[in-house]
Amino acid sequence: MSEATPSKLAIPEEVTVDKATIKMLHLAQSKGIETIFDRAVKMKQCNIGTEGICCKVCSQGPCRLPLTKAIREGTEPDTRIGLCGATPETIVARNLCRMIAAGCASHSDHGRSVAETFLAMARGEAKDYTIKDEIKLREVAGFFDVPITEEIDGVEVPRDKWAIALEVGEICLGQWGTQQGEMIYLKRAPQPTQDRWAKHGVKPRGIDREVVEIMHRTHMGVDQDYKNLMLQGARCSLGNGWGGSMMSTDLQDIMFGTPYPNAGKINLGVLSRDKVNIIVHGHDPLVSEMIVCAINQPDMIEYAHSKGAKGYVVAGMCCTANEILVRHGMPIAGDYLQQELAVVTGAVDAMVVDVQCVMENLARVSECFHTKFITTMPIAKCATGKNTMHVNFEEHAALAKAKEIIRIAADNFPNRGEVNIPTDTNRMVVGFSTEAIKYHLGGSFRGSFVPLNDNIINGRIRGVCGVVGCNNARMEHDEVHLALIKELIKNDVIVLTTGCSAMACGKAGLLTPESAAVYAGAGLAEVCETVGIPPVLHMGSCLDNSRILTAATEVVNAGGLGKELADLPAAGAAPGWMSEKAVGIGQYFVTSGVYVMLGVSLPINGSPILKHHLEVEMEELYGGKWDYEPDPVLAAHKIIAHIDRKRQALGIDKSRERVLMDMADRQKIEAA
Ligand code: NFS
Ligand code: SF4
């Protein structure tokens, strides 16, 4: 007879560094409510899957080709092949390309719905949306060669914004379906970067085409050359980074406003005891923008009062949170790993979700409370849970639909049971779009990246690193981001952040100008104090990683730091990535010339040949490459070493030595 083993649970203090998360995890466990943290203890990962060497693209498989110790050490030849003869390289490359395709499809399909709504707005069919940033509209029109002036009676006058928007919307939406030529936004990249793409044949023709071509080429018995497969992976990624994502960011800025620095609050403590709490969760801001707009209307305020509530809190989760935070300063309830715990507060009257990163278990947790779990997109419904419902969002009746959702939440307010809201919140400064960085550094009359370049050249700022991406239940929540970022800023590397990484920074207080004096190296701290910025700049959602591409391009164009993105003393990192979107993003950075560091391995270790291709050979093709280091401090030092090599190649390594000496001397004087 076997003894019953007590079911294993996560130890809150060991799985996260975030205080609110620790408290709520204890509470969930005491109530017998299981969360992802517990499931990560119970369920082990599959060794073969994590190495990427399981092929299941035909029904003769799955064919599994584990990499044995003897093969790895070379004492036995590597003769592994699948039933059809596929090598480990082919199998791993196929699997990876399919991840890239899925990631790019997710971001870009979100982009498509934005473009469709934009076009409907321009046609007057989505009256609740409008043009908030006309300057950006005119700038974007320029990228598409849409005229922004016209001649009337021989006089050149500005063209009507709705006419411009209509043309922009049509061309933009067309980019998903183009079959030939190259996508229009590619020309926004520095010329030498574009030349590399042309040389290797990786300029995308149209967003959809590149995704479909991956699905074709990875079908049983098609592309059997791993290098050729990865070229298509690279091409598809560019269609997203310099296409679907970038256009989506631009159109969202035009419709909802380009982010500029503003203050925000983060963590579960933003929920309220006496107001109706609505969490907007997912990625697409089309729904959440309308909810934010509607809660301030008199009829909605009155409705809340009629239910005994003092008003509304609309708090975000995942990247929908970042979208409404950077534009409206709306609070963030938490990141991806905190979604179940938000419901455990008992204070969430409606959990309103759109697309991506929504855990199916949310529906189950909602059942333990009064929370209504409301799906809003026809492509993302949920069949689980008795509290689950679907309110189909329609762009032509956007505000009315938003109000319908708000009423459901308010109606649910009196049904609350026990409420446990942790008190933890942090304040932060967010909203550093490329435009905002430019104006912040150069002043609104002569917005410019030159001052940033000057500070990189003189060595006060050693380099730039984009730290982005998810939290992963297999890693210590938040800590992987924080340890890496603190080490980078301590060494004068300014950090640009998005997604759930940005939330980790917000919760830990790194997104305030004052944090520079505490965490940043002397050079970076001096720049931050002079300009009044935090050492870590929140640039928005994961979709907004395209802002990092445009900012990096501005740096190249401002001069003095090389001719292409690959020349910059810059890097990217996703220490806790988990979603396929992150693979798509990482690949577009690599293809654009950026060194990308991961804290969770890609599923490629089953093929040392493919690993070598990604971590060594890709640099010869694009100037950027993948790397992997699970220890965040070691990862930071690998990034810094990369940045220093780039500084040396640019001939600006000496200036930094002088700056450091200056600082040491100054500190000596201050100490005396
Ligand atoms: Ni990015 Fe944003 Fe978070 Fe990861 Fe999910 S919310 S799009 S995918 S988990 S960072
Ligand atoms: Fe196996 Fe080849 Fe089929 Fe893959 S495609 S499952 S390796 S037979």
Side-chain angles (χ1 to χ4, degrees), residues 261 322 326 428-434 436-438 440-441 449 452 461 464-468 485 489 493-499 501-503 505-506 510-513 515-516 524 527-528 531-541 544-545 547-548 551:
N322 285 319
V326 293
M428 52 192 177
V429 179
V430 301
F432 291 91
S433 58
T434 303
I437 296 176
K438 199 169 176 178
H440 227 83
L441 290 169
F449 271 73
L452 174 66
I461 296 177
V464 184
C465 188
V467 185
V468 305
I485 289 171
I489 59 179
V493 175
I494 191 167
V495 169
L496 310 176
T497 184
T498 60
S501 185
M503 298 189 193
C505 294
L510 294 178
L511 302 182
T512 61
S515 71
L524 176 59
V527 175
C528 291
V531 191
I533 54 170
V536 183
L537 303 180
H538 187 316
M539 292 188 83
S541 65
D544 292 334
N545 282 323
R547 296 191 201 275
I548 300 182

Side-chain angles (χ1 to χ4, degrees), residues 411-460:
D411 288 342
N412 201 24
F413 176 79
N415 299 332
R416 281 189 195 174
E418 184 189 329
V419 168
N420 293 287
I421 303 171
T423 50
D424 311 74
T425 60
N426 247 296
R427 45 173 215 95
M428 52 192 177
V429 179
V430 301
F432 291 91
S433 58
T434 303
E435 291 85 345
I437 296 176
K438 199 169 176 178
Y439 292 140
H440 227 83
L441 290 169
S444 53
F445 293 108
R446 45 176 186 87
S448 161
F449 271 73
V450 172
L452 174 66
N453 286 28
D454 287 347
N455 278 305
I456 295 174
I457 293 166
N458 70 27
R460 281 192 189 88

Side-chain angles (χ1 to χ4, degrees), residues 126-141:
K127 296 212 179 302
D128 299 327
Y129 298 95
T130 188
I131 296 170
K132 283 221 180 108
D133 189 342
E134 197 178 327
I135 295 174
K136 183 127 186 184
L137 170 67
R138 290 177 185 276
E139 188 196 347
V140 168

Side-chain angles (χ1 to χ4, degrees), residues 55-58 60-61 63 82-84 86 91 94 220:
C55 180
K56 50 183 171 59
V57 304
C58 90
Q60 302 167 98
C63 295
L83 235 66
C84 65
I91 291 172
R94 279 201 297 230
M220 194 272 157

Side-chain angles (χ1 to χ4, degrees), residues 573-631:
W577 75 275
M578 64 90 198
S579 101
E580 291 167 317
K581 286 176 286 177
V583 184
I585 295 166
Q587 186 62 57
Y588 75 60
F589 274 108
V590 168
T591 317
S592 302
V594 180
Y595 169 78
V596 173
M597 170 61 76
L598 300 178
V600 179
S601 176
L602 288 172
I604 56 171
N605 293 335
S607 165
I609 293 174
L610 192 87
K611 193 171 155 68
H612 180 77
H613 181 59
L614 296 186
E615 296 181 354
V616 180
E617 291 169 347
M618 273 200 181
E619 192 169 28
E620 290 154 26
L621 297 175
Y622 311 119
K625 62 174 179 178
W626 292 95
D627 204 353
Y628 161 63
E629 172 52 62
D631 181 312

Side-chain angles (χ1 to χ4, degrees), residues 3 15 61 71 81 103 125 167 176 206-207 228 266 309 325 363 446 487-488 504 513 547 563 620 622 647 650 653:
E3 246 174 74
V15 294
I71 299 174
I81 50 171
E125 294 160 3
E167 233 178 289
W176 270 262
I207 297 166
N228 203 41
I266 185 166
L325 166 78
R446 45 176 186 87
E487 196 63 24
L488 289 174
R547 296 191 201 275
K563 299 212 165 350
E620 290 154 26
Y622 311 119
R647 293 188 67 89
L650 289 166
D653 45 331

